[in-house]
C-alpha cells in the first residue's frame, strides 16, 4: 500500500498516462490556445462575480431567508467554487499538466468533480424542498431549519467524498489499460459510477417535478400561491438549463467508458464539451435575478450604488469649485421660514 501511494509524488506518472491514452500529445502554447484560455478565465471571473452578488443579496435581505432562497444560495456557492476550480484547471492545463505530480493532478480534477457534485445535490435538495412545500402542502418553519442545514451540509460532505475517491485510491495508477481517455489518471469504472449517480439523481429530480406539477394541476392546486408557482417555474428552468449544458459532457464521458484506448478521436476534443458545460454556472445567476424581483433588486443595488458614485465623482470633476447654496439668515430660520424646495436645491442636497 505504501508503494502504491508513493506513486502520487512521481512526476513522470502524468506524462506516462497521457502518452498511453492520447494519440498525439501536443501541449504547445499556440496563440489560439492562449486566446481560448484567456477567454475561459474571463468567463470564469464573470461566474465568480455573478454568484458572489447572488450570495451577498441572499445574505443581506431578510425577505430572501426562506428555505427556497437558501437552497438557491447554496447552488450559487457551488457555482462560485466551480468558477474558481475552472480557473485553476485552465491555468494548470497545457504544458503545465505534464509538470504536475499525480496528487496535484487529482486535486485539480477533483475540485471540479466536487463542485459538480455539489451542484447536482443542490438541485436534488431544491426538488425535495419544492415537493415538501407543494405536494405535501408544508413549509419549512423555524423548527425545520436544522433539517434544512443538515440537508445542505450532507450534500457537501457527499460531494467531497465522491470527488475525493480517486485520490483515496480509486484511480488507474499502475493499471494503464483501465484508464479513461478524457481523464487519463481516472479509472473508467469511477467515471462511469459518477455519471451514473448524477444521471439517476437528475432522473429522480425530473420525477419529483412531474409529481409536483400533477399535484398543482389537481383539485388542490389552489393551495399553491402565485409566488410558490413562480419559484417552481424558476427551479424548473434551472434544472432544464443544467441538463442542456451538462448532457454533452455526460455523453462524452459515457462514450469514454465504451471506447477502447485511442479508438474514438472525438474524446480528444472533450475540453470543448466541458467548456460548454461551464455556461451553466454563468446562466444560473441570470435566471435567479430574472425570475425574482426581490433578488433582482438586491443584486442590482451594488451596481446602482457604483453608478451613482461614478456620476457624483464626474459632477465633482466638472465643477470648478464647491458650490454652496444660498441660505437665509438665522433669524429667518428661527422664525420658521422654510428653506427653498426647488428642484435645484433637492438635486444638490438630497441623497437618493
Amino acid at each position: 500500500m505504501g508503494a502504491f501511494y508513493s506513486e502520487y509524488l512521481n512526476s513522470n506518472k502524468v506524462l506516462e498516462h497521457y502518452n498511453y491514452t492520447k494519440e498525439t500529445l501536443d501541449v504547445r502554447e499556440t496563440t489560439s490556445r492562449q486566446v481560448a484560455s484567456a477567454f475561459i478565465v474571463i468567463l470564469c471571473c464573470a461566474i465568480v462575480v455573478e454568484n458572489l452578488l447572488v450570495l451577498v443579496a441572499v445574505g443581506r435581505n431578510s425577505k430572501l431567508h426562506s428555505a427556497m432562497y437558501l437552497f438557491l444560495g447554496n447552488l450559487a456557492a457551488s457555482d462560485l467554487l466551480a468558477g474558481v476550480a475552472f480557473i485553476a484547471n485552465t491555468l494548470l492545463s497545457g504544458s503545465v499538466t505534464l509538470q504536475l505530480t499525480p496528487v496535484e493532478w487529482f486535486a485539480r480534477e477533483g475540485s471540479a468533480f466536487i463542485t459538480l457534485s455539489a451542484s447536482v445535490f443542490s438541485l436534488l435538495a431544491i426538488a425535495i424542498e419544492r415537493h415538501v412545500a407543494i405536494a405535501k402542502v408544508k413549509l419549512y418553519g423555524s423548527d425545520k431549519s436544522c433539517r434544512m442545514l443538515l440537508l445542505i451540509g450532507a450534500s457537501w460532505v457527499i460531494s467531497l467524498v465522491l470527488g475525493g475517491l480517486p485520490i483515496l485510491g480509486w484511480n488507474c495508477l499502475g493499471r494503464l489499460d483501465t484508464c479513461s481517455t478524457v481523464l487519463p489518471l481516472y479509472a473508467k469504472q469511477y467515471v462511469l459510477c459518477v455519471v451514473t449517480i448524477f444521471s439517476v439523481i437528475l432522473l429522480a429530480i425530473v420525477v419529483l417535478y412531474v409529481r409536483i406539477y400533477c399535484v398543482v394541476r389537481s383539485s388542490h392546486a389552489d393551495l399553491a400561491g402565485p409566488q410558490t408557482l413562480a419559484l417552481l417555474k424558476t427551479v424548473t428552468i434551472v434544472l432544464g438549463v443544467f441538463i442542456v449544458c451538462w448532457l454533452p459532457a455526460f455523453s462524452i464521458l459515457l462514450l469514454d467508458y465504451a471506447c477502447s484506448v485511442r479508438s474514438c478521436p472525438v474524446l480528444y476534443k472533450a475540453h470543448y464539451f466541458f467548456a460548454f458545460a461551464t455556461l451553466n454556472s454563468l446562466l444560473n445567476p441570470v435566471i435567479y435575478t430574472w425570475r425574482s424581483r426581490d433578488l433582482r433588486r438586491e443584486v442590482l443595488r451594488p451596481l446602482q450604488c457604483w453608478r451613482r458614485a461614478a456620476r457624483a465623482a464626474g459632477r465633482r470633476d466638472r465643477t470648478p469649485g464647491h458650490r454652496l447654496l444660498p441660505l437665509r439668515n438665522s433669524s429667518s430660520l428661527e422664525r420658521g421660514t422654510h428653506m427653498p424646495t426647488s428642484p435645484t436645491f433637492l438635486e444638490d442636497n438630497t441623497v437618493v
Side-chain angles (χ1 to χ4, degrees):
M1 183 64 69
F4 173 77
Y5 284 107
S6 66
E7 299 290 344
Y8 279 38
L9 301 178
N10 188 343
S11 58
N12 295 323
K13 276 296 178 180
V14 173
L15 177 60
E16 177 187 350
H17 282 249
Y18 272 76
N19 277 330
Y20 178 81
T21 57
K22 308 295 183 183
E23 185 174 339
T24 57
L25 192 59
D26 185 10
V27 293
R28 293 174 300 176
E29 290 295 330
T30 61
T31 302
S32 60
R33 179 171 292 178
Q34 291 176 347
V35 171
S37 298
F39 175 76
I40 293 175
V41 169
I42 293 173
L43 180 67
C44 292
C45 288
I47 291 173
V48 172
V49 172
E50 282 184 348
N51 286 282
L52 183 60
L53 288 174
V54 171
L55 288 174
V56 171
V58 172
R60 187 168 55 184
N61 192 337
S62 58
K63 293 182 179 180
L64 304 178
H65 288 177
S66 64
M68 185 63 220
Y69 282 106
L70 290 179
F71 281 123
L72 287 179
N74 183 55
L75 182 59
S78 64
D79 285 334
L80 187 151
L81 294 177
V84 175
F86 291 148
I87 291 175
N89 199 300
T90 302
L91 296 179
L92 296 176
S93 297
S95 59
V96 181
T97 300
L98 303 182
Q99 302 173 14
L100 300 175
T101 61
V103 68
E104 292 171 339
W105 190 93
F106 287 139
R108 187 190 76 176
E109 300 299 335
S111 62
F113 269 73
I114 290 171
T115 55
L116 172 60
S117 301
S119 297
V120 174
F121 285 109
S122 294
L123 291 173
L124 178 61
I126 291 172
I128 293 173
E129 189 277 336
R130 289 293 86 197
H131 186 268
V132 171
I134 296 179
K136 301 298 182 181
V137 198
K138 296 178 181 179
L139 295 175
Y140 277 80
S142 58
D143 57 330
K144 308 273 183 69
S145 60
C146 182
R147 185 175 68 182
M148 180 188 65
L149 294 178
L150 286 176
L151 189 60
I152 293 176
S155 68
W156 280 102
V157 170
I158 297 174
S159 299
L160 288 170
V161 172
L162 193 60
L165 285 177
I167 201 170
L168 294 177
W170 195 358
N171 53 62
C172 63
L173 290 178
R175 303 184 303 274
L176 290 174
D177 57 320
T178 64
C179 287
S180 162
T181 300
V182 176
L183 302 163
L185 272 69
Y186 278 177
K188 284 187 175 184
Q189 291 78 6
Y190 169 74
V191 175
L192 177 64
C193 177
V194 171
V195 174
T196 302
I197 291 174
F198 291 165
S199 300
V200 170
I201 290 175
L202 291 175
L203 180 60
I205 294 172
V206 172
V207 171
L208 282 175
Y209 281 129
V210 170
R211 175 175 169 78
I212 291 171
Y213 275 111
C214 290
V215 172
V216 170
R217 292 176 62 88
S218 68
S219 59
H220 301 289
D222 55 330
L223 296 176
Q227 185 177 5
T228 301
L229 296 178
L231 284 173
L232 177 61
K233 187 174 182 180
T234 298
V235 296
T236 305
I237 295 174
V238 170
L239 174 64
V241 170
F242 182 91
I243 293 175
V244 169
C245 290
W246 278 100
L247 183 60
F250 288 172
S251 301
I252 206 72
L253 291 176
L254 290 176
L255 182 64
D256 184 17
Y257 176 80
C259 291
S260 57
V261 63
R262 301 186 181 182
S263 62
C264 297
V266 69
L267 297 179
Y268 304 138
K269 305 297 182 182
H271 55 280
Y272 292 114
F273 296 88
F274 288 105
F276 179 74
T278 60
L279 292 176
N280 176 69
S281 299
L282 182 71
L283 293 176
N284 279 343
V286 177
I287 298 172
Y288 308 152
T289 55
W290 168 50
R291 295 289 305 169
S292 172
R293 182 186 305 172
D294 291 334
L295 185 59
R296 181 168 61 250
R297 186 183 298 114
E298 286 296 328
V299 168
L300 295 179
R301 180 178 296 179
L303 302 179
Q304 293 173 349
C305 292
W306 295 337
R307 184 176 61 182
R308 289 169 183 169
R311 288 180 178 177
R315 285 197 297 266
R316 287 195 298 268
D317 292 340
R318 290 192 300 268
T319 304
H322 182 67
R323 179 166 59 91
L324 295 176
L325 293 173
L327 298 176
R328 298 182 183 272
N329 55 34
S330 58
S331 59
S332 63
L333 293 176
E334 292 173 359
R335 291 194 301 268
T337 305
H338 294 290
M339 297 175 66
T341 57
S342 65
T344 303
F345 174 81
L346 292 176
E347 181 180 355
D348 290 341
N349 291 273
T350 304
V351 179
V352 180

